[in-house]
Amino acid sequence: MNDKPVTLAAIVGAHGVTGEVRLKLFGDGVESLKRYTGFTVAGRSLTLKSVRPGPNGAVARFAEIGDRSAAEALRGTELTVPRSALPPLAEGEYYHADLIGLPCTSSEGEVLGAIVAVENFGAGDIVEVERPTGKRFMAPMHAVTLEDDRAVIDSAFAQ
């Protein structure tokens, strides 16, 4: 398994004067962050002391951030954990981070390119594939079969 960093949240600003930060969440909510004691942020490790729901996301306190200036300095940075720290998945589940960069072929064997994004506009996940020519197309996840080292996309969706 590739142990690349996976972004779980981003710091969007300071909250108050004691060093708390406001977070934009990219996962399953505040409770999912509580399982991690530390994050990598801007090349350094931060120890999570507390996290709670906040305006449009969450509010967190880290041991290493003691005042508003230190919190503001981290605005725009991402909170990451190694891929290996994420909980195991059930059959048929996947992490978006595992799909990015995955090579794709059609169900007829045509080389299509690689997955560059996973989107969800409300009706389910959609993978965006970039062809070697730079052209991109999207396919619904129900038309994608994931294998260990590639994704196979139903030819009807490989345009």
Side-chain angles (χ1 to χ4, degrees):
M1 174 189 331
N2 186 344
D3 211 17
K4 62 186 173 187
V6 176
T7 302
L8 299 181
I11 297 174
V12 294
H15 182 81
V17 295
T18 61
E20 290 184 312
V21 294
R22 291 180 293 118
L23 302 177
K24 177 180 180 181
L25 304 177
F26 301 125
D28 288 334
V30 174
E31 290 303 313
S32 68
L33 290 181
K34 290 181 180 180
R35 73 173 54 118
Y36 306 101
T37 56
F39 296 90
T40 302
V41 179
R44 67 183 212 194
S45 294
L46 294 182
T47 307
L48 183 66
K49 288 177 67 176
S50 66
V51 62
R52 67 183 187 279
N56 301 316
V59 174
R61 177 178 303 279
F62 293 95
E64 297 80 4
I65 302 174
D67 60 35
R68 184 175 182 87
S69 295
E72 278 295 335
L74 292 173
R75 178 190 298 264
T77 59
E78 299 176 340
L79 276 68
T80 65
V81 296
R83 168 62 180 87
S84 61
L86 298 176
L89 297 168
E91 183 69 30
E93 292 182 328
Y94 52 87
Y95 287 116
H96 290 192
D98 292 342
L99 302 183
I100 306 299
L102 198 61
C104 301
T105 59
S106 74
S107 54
E108 294 177 358
E110 175 191 1
V111 174
L112 299 174
I115 296 174
V116 293
V118 181
E119 305 288 349
N120 190 315
F121 302 108
D125 286 346
I126 298 171
V127 295
E128 184 172 5
V129 178
E130 184 172 342
R131 290 185 174 272
T133 62
K135 183 178 177 183
R136 293 183 177 196
F137 71 93
M138 294 181 153
M141 199 62 203
H142 69 80
V144 179
T145 302
L146 298 175
E147 297 180 356
D148 289 337
D149 59 348
R150 68 181 180 150
V152 178
I153 298 176
D154 186 317
S155 294
F157 293 94
Q159 301 179 11

